[in-house]
Amino acid sequence: MATSGSQSVPADLFEFDSKEPWAPDTFMLVPLESSQVLVPEHAAILGAQAFLKIARLPFKVRECHNSSDISPNGKLPVIKCGAYVVSELDGIVSLAQAKGMSITEYLNAAERADLRAYMSLVHNVLGNALLYFTWLDEDVYNKYTKQRVGSPYNFPLKYLLPWTLRRKVKSQLNALKWGYRTTEEVYREVETCLLALSERLGESDYFFGSTPTELDALVFGYLFTMLTHPLHNHSQFSNIIRHHPNLTKFCKRIDQDFFEEQQPESSSSSGGRLE
Amino acid sequence: MANDNNKGSPAGDVGVAGVSDDKGPPTGPGYEATVRTGDTNISVDLSSVPVTVQNINFDGLNRTKNEFVEKAISDVFLTKNFEQLILKVGRAQSKLQSLGVFSEVATVVDTSKGDDATPDGYDVTFAVKELRRINGGLSGMVGTNEGTAQFGINFPNVLGSGEKVSVNHFVSSSSGKKTEINVMVPFPYIGTEFSTSLYSCESINPWSAVTTSATGNLLQYNMKIGKNDTLSIQWHGVWRCLNALGSRGTTFPVREYLGNTIKSAFRFIYATDKRDQPIFPCSGTLRKVDVEFSGAFGDAKFLKVETDWQYNWSLFENVVLQGSLRCGLLQPLSSSPMSYNINDLFFLGGPSSLRGFHMRGVGPRCQQNALGGKVVWASAIHLYAPLPFLNSKFSFTENLRLHGFVNCGGIGQNVAECSDADNVRISSGIGLAYRFRNAARIEINYCYPFKFSAKDRCVNGFQWGIGVDFL
């Protein structure tokens, strides 16, 4: 299920065989991009892709209708590398670390703690805000989410599945107290989060100096998605981001450095253009 | 035995062999009554005793409808002589018992009394005891290498025509649990019954490391055709959600099947069973064809055909040669990845199909996960013999057989792969098989697989199996 509500597995619980190198035929499983993928899923996928491109780890993208069911914890994206099936950015980062591919080796202990704190802030605020608008906003749910979730299935699952998934997301968000918030409260949360990010970023290229980390990948995934995939009449998201010119510049930089120049043929995987 | 001699006619409980009578010499074969009076034997041909059944009474009929029992006994009115009376009353009694609404059926045949009684008039009384409105129970069942406990509440004969509603909960030793509400409507006089079962079950498939939660409805129409043939027409609509078992053991090829699908399938099962008994038959054949078409609506779209043959030859005195063959084919009817899932595929191996291999231990696999195949075949040749040096007076030894067997089989993704000589698995062995209450079979065998492929999980040695359906 796309919404098992469970926390992601801590990195040290994975027992990866570090002797095997990163499999060259690694692929990332994503929902059908044209018809099925939802905005929160797109943000998570884009963040993971940014990380893999920053770490220069090769991967291919494969679309399938049940990618979230294939995922070990129900979350996206899913990566199959050799015999391992790993999900979410956290899982992918620890898999890469086990294979000796870390992009945060130069950080000291305090910076690492900072990195973790910011990552969980982004996960909690931006991730839940996108879930909130995708599933709990009646307009968005009826005009967008319902159609996309049901699209790969035939009658009657086409109508049953969005309904059951919505109930699950609702109870998950209610447990985190997000379900009871109003739209304005959610916007305020997002504004606070973006302000904190903008202040942390300052005028530097990336969050921790001149080289990108997984935090940069994660933030890029969310911000770029919010800028390029406006949820039905919730364009305020992109306006809030545009209040922070350093954040839009940051998105443009990662998009250009890692999605356009490095691999022009797969630039479409970032899924949009910044004007 | 009751004698009513004032009309010179026999009367008494049906099924009594000897009936005394004092008129008429023996005239021919058929039912005869013999009675010894002093030193002379008097034989009476019962078919020459004229009988008119005047009244049939039911005793103890409360909520059962008259129309429902009338058909069982209407034949009794056509009785012309005493021989027929005994036969027809006996038949009616067993028919009434088979309706499943009475716990007891007793019959009393007596001469008619009263003003309109004719000299050869008889009254038949069926004393029945209806089942209680609610009964419940706890029972155990045997499946393929697993046991199941069943907790159930039954409401027999709800509307008075044998309709039965039951609510059951099953807990299995290894493969999950199931809750069902079952409604059964019998049409006993045309040999059919209709049932619908609404169920929700959680099942575990450890061989492929998946769990399935299924919610669905099974409509069934079963009919008996002639003496040996049965036909079952089913519609099965089910929402299946496959999940990984545990967090790590499920490999990627199995994971690709995970998720939700709805299957709407029509299934036809036609069986001709001419065997003398289902377990350890001495003679006769079994032929069974099972066709499942999925795709009326929903996501699963495939055609699945399975056939079973079994032949038995009695060689001499309880030594039986048995040959059987089972084939299966699944043809997806759409290129969608949802057209079938791992639960629809065939698996091979285990004591009930291909002995000498672990359960589902033959065929395509990824690490520990069995992946299944679209085409399967398996055959067996058995030689059954009773245990030597033991007389079969005890029921234990009567139910025990010594058998030697040769099993062959193959599994693959297409017919060509399956029929490839390199893909044939052969095993042989000897063992003991025990028949448990004519419903289940337990066997322990010493197996020797001598043709297998590298990935197969073989059992070279003792293997035991318990189940109903053995090849």
Side-chain angles (χ1 to χ4, degrees):
Chain A
M1 287 293 88
T3 52
S4 63
S6 63
Q7 293 297 305
S8 61
V9 185
D12 39 329
L13 279 186
F14 285 97
E15 297 156 18
F16 296 116
D17 181 2
S18 52
K19 275 168 265 166
E20 294 212 356
W22 184 266
D25 61 346
T26 296
F27 54 83
M28 179 182 282
L29 282 166
V30 300
L32 311 176
E33 293 213 48
S34 59
S35 58
Q36 190 191 10
V37 71
L38 300 172
V39 167
E41 296 170 350
H42 187 272
I45 291 163
L46 192 57
Q49 289 181 344
F51 167 77
L52 291 173
K53 283 177 190 267
I54 290 167
R56 297 185 191 282
L57 292 167
F59 70 97
K60 290 191 178 65
V61 176
R62 209 173 109 182
E63 296 186 5
C64 66
H65 75 279
N66 56 346
S67 47
S68 57
D69 301 304
I70 290 173
S71 166
N73 67 347
K75 308 236 171 129
L76 289 172
V78 188
I79 278 222
K80 186 195 176 278
C81 174
Y84 299 112
V85 182
V86 170
S87 67
E88 282 192 293
L89 182 58
D90 289 344
I92 296 167
V93 169
S94 43
L95 175 68
Q97 263 168 5
K99 308 266 183 199
M101 304 281 192
S102 174
I103 55 172
T104 52
E105 276 160 342
Y106 62 93
L107 298 184
N108 60 36
E111 284 174 324
R112 269 168 213 264
D114 251 18
L115 179 116
R116 281 189 178 257
Y118 274 99
M119 280 189 78
S120 78
L121 174 78
V122 174
H123 261 311
N124 288 337
V125 177
L126 299 185
N128 286 332
L130 288 184
L131 275 183
Y132 177 93
F133 285 115
T134 314
W135 290 97
L136 300 194
D137 186 297
E138 288 296 331
D139 237 19
V140 178
Y141 174 75
N142 284 321
K143 291 187 177 144
Y144 166 84
T145 314
K146 201 157 81 176
Q147 277 79 2
R148 291 185 80 85
V149 169
S151 68
Y153 299 93
N154 289 332
F155 170 85
L157 219 46
K158 199 184 227 6
Y159 306 103
L160 289 170
L161 206 56
W163 176 70
T164 52
L165 285 183
R166 190 187 197 196
R167 284 179 43 156
K168 283 193 182 169
V169 180
K170 258 187 187 169
S171 67
Q172 182 194 340
L173 286 177
N174 285 346
L176 298 167
K177 306 276 182 257
W178 274 79
Y180 307 111
R181 290 184 180 166
T182 61
T183 319
E184 282 67 37
E185 285 172 329
V186 173
Y187 274 126
R188 223 170 296 138
E189 289 278 343
V190 173
E191 269 173 47
T192 323
C193 172
L194 290 183
L195 188 65
L197 287 176
S198 172
E199 279 174 2
R200 165 81 216 190
L201 182 63
E203 288 311 307
S204 50
D205 281 357
Y206 300 107
F207 282 96
F208 294 91
S210 58
T211 43
T213 61
E214 50 256 32
L215 176 62
D216 299 274
L218 183 72
V219 173
F220 168 76
Y222 278 109
L223 298 191
F224 197 90
T225 304
M226 285 152 85
L227 284 166
T228 54
H229 287 70
L231 278 165
H232 181 76
N233 72 33
H234 286 288
S235 53
Q236 286 104 313
F237 269 145
S238 52
N239 293 336
I240 303 171
I241 301 171
R242 283 180 214 279
H243 286 159
H244 307 285
N246 60 343
L247 288 181
T248 48
K249 240 184 265 168
F250 162 83
C251 287
K252 236 177 240 175
R253 191 178 306 123
I254 293 196
D255 185 37
Q256 278 168 3
D257 289 1
F258 298 101
F259 284 88
E260 283 177 14
E261 284 166 26
Q262 197 187 20
Q263 280 170 309
E265 77 279 6
S266 65
S267 64
S268 63
S269 54
S270 62
R273 281 287 154 274
L274 276 177
E275 304 87 38
Chain B
M1 174 158 179
N3 244 332
D4 193 352
N5 280 326
N6 55 355
K7 269 185 235 157
S9 303
D13 287 349
V14 172
V16 176
V19 181
S20 74
D21 198 80
D22 54 359
K23 66 174 183 187
T27 50
Y31 269 70
E32 282 187 4
T34 312
V35 76
R36 190 182 284 265
T37 359
D39 48 10
T40 51
N41 280 344
I42 308 166
S43 275
V44 182
D45 178 12
L46 294 178
S47 63
S48 67
V49 180
V51 163
T52 310
V53 174
Q54 288 192 307
N55 296 301
I56 296 176
N57 302 314
F58 269 95
D59 212 359
L61 217 54
N62 294 322
R63 64 182 197 277
T64 310
K65 285 183 178 154
N66 287 350
E67 307 87 77
F68 188 61
V69 291
E70 264 169 18
K71 282 185 198 131
I73 50 102
S74 58
D75 205 26
V76 177
F77 278 118
L78 304 175
T79 304
K80 293 209 167 59
N81 57 47
F82 202 79
E83 180 189 339
Q84 284 180 359
L85 182 68
I86 294 170
L87 286 173
K88 288 187 174 172
V89 168
R91 234 177 269 151
Q93 186 181 9
S94 60
K95 220 173 210 175
L96 287 172
Q97 263 158 351
S98 70
L99 292 178
V101 300
F102 303 121
S103 57
E104 279 170 35
V105 182
T107 37
V108 177
V109 178
D110 205 350
T111 49
S112 290
K113 296 188 185 83
D115 302 335
D116 52 353
T118 54
D120 59 352
Y122 286 85
D123 285 354
V124 180
T125 303
F126 292 96
V128 295
K129 197 172 166 196
E130 287 180 344
L131 287 171
R132 277 188 287 176
R133 276 188 185 276
I134 302 179
N135 60 55
L138 179 67
S139 58
M141 286 180 294
V142 175
T144 306
N145 273 27
E146 66 172 16
T148 304
Q150 176 191 351
F151 310 90
I153 303 171
N154 298 316
F155 304 88
N157 200 11
V158 178
L159 298 175
S161 303
E163 302 87 353
K164 181 170 152 188
V165 178
S166 56
V167 182
N168 293 309
H169 183 71
F170 304 88
V171 183
S172 156
S173 63
S174 58
S175 67
K177 55 186 189 224
K178 177 177 180 179
T179 309
E180 64 167 25
I181 301 172
N182 201 352
V183 178
M184 196 269 286
V185 182
F187 304 97
Y189 305 109
I190 49 172
T192 65
E193 81 181 32
F194 174 80
S195 73
T196 166
S197 163
L198 205 64
Y199 71 89
S200 164
C201 79
E202 300 271 338
S203 56
I204 298 167
N205 171 353
W207 308 283
S208 306
V210 289
T211 65
T212 307
S213 26
T215 310
N217 188 16
L218 180 66
L219 293 177
Q220 264 189 90
Y221 187 69
N222 298 330
M223 60 180 105
K224 238 178 130 58
I225 303 165
K227 207 178 145 208
N228 302 315
D229 296 15
T230 50
L231 172 66
S232 176
I233 301 172
Q234 306 178 352
W235 175 76
H236 193 188
V238 57
W239 178 357
R240 313 176 288 181
C241 181
L242 269 64
N243 285 301
L245 173 65
S247 58
R248 304 206 49 203
T250 315
T251 55
F252 191 75
V254 177
R255 279 187 182 273
E256 283 187 288
Y257 293 112
L258 300 185
N260 297 278
T261 48
I262 278 183
K263 173 168 108 168
S264 157
F266 289 96
R267 192 168 171 191
F268 306 87
I269 305 168
Y270 192 93
T272 308
D273 189 351
K274 291 180 178 164
R275 298 175 299 175
D276 51 349
Q277 50 191 351
I279 300 178
F280 303 148
C282 291
S283 63
T285 58
L286 167 74
R287 279 188 291 264
K288 195 169 136 193
V289 181
D290 179 344
V291 180
E292 182 178 4
F293 166 73
S294 174
F297 65 83
D299 312 291
K301 294 183 190 305
F302 61 83
L303 184 72
K304 191 174 173 180
V305 183
E306 273 181 273
T307 55
D308 261 299
W309 289 276
Q310 192 191 88
Y311 293 89
N312 296 287
W313 295 275
S314 187
L315 297 182
F316 48 89
E317 247 200 285
N318 281 334
V319 177
V320 178
L321 183 69
Q322 182 186 74
S324 36
L325 175 67
R326 190 178 287 173
C327 302
L329 172 83
L330 180 134
Q331 177 64 48
L333 297 177
S334 133
S335 58
S336 150
M338 284 185 267
S339 59
Y340 63 94
N341 74 23
I342 196 161
N343 293 349
D344 302 316
L345 291 172
F346 297 104
F347 293 86
L348 190 62
S352 59
S353 63
L354 202 61
R355 294 170 185 80
F357 295 91
H358 278 285
M359 196 73 185
R360 299 192 175 192
V362 180
R365 53 199 311 114
C366 178
Q367 293 174 28
Q368 292 302 303
N369 299 161
L371 300 180
K374 295 197 197 82
V375 184
V376 73
W377 70 275
S379 71
I381 296 169
H382 286 270
L383 191 68
Y384 291 100
L387 280 183
F389 316 118
L390 284 171
N391 58 29
S392 60
K393 275 177 191 155
F394 305 106
S395 73
F396 180 77
T397 49
E398 202 180 324
N399 288 324
L400 204 57
R401 292 283 187 285
L402 194 66
H403 74 144
F405 59 86
V406 179
N407 274 174
C408 319
I411 186 166
Q413 299 310 326
N414 51 54
V415 177
E417 187 189 336
C418 218
S419 54
D420 185 4
D422 292 339
N423 260 327
V424 176
R425 275 81 163 176
I426 307 172
S427 70
S428 69
I430 54 166
L432 279 174
Y434 179 69
R435 170 175 58 191
F436 186 73
R437 286 189 175 177
N438 230 347
R441 172 169 156 175
I442 305 164
E443 58 175 52
I444 181 153
N445 302 314
Y446 188 87
C447 309
Y448 177 66
F450 54 85
K451 193 167 182 310
F452 47 87
S453 52
K455 277 186 167 180
D456 293 344
R457 300 180 62 217
C458 303
V459 179
N460 201 340
F462 284 103
Q463 181 179 40
W464 76 280
I466 176 166
V468 179
D469 200 13
F470 277 85
L471 190 67

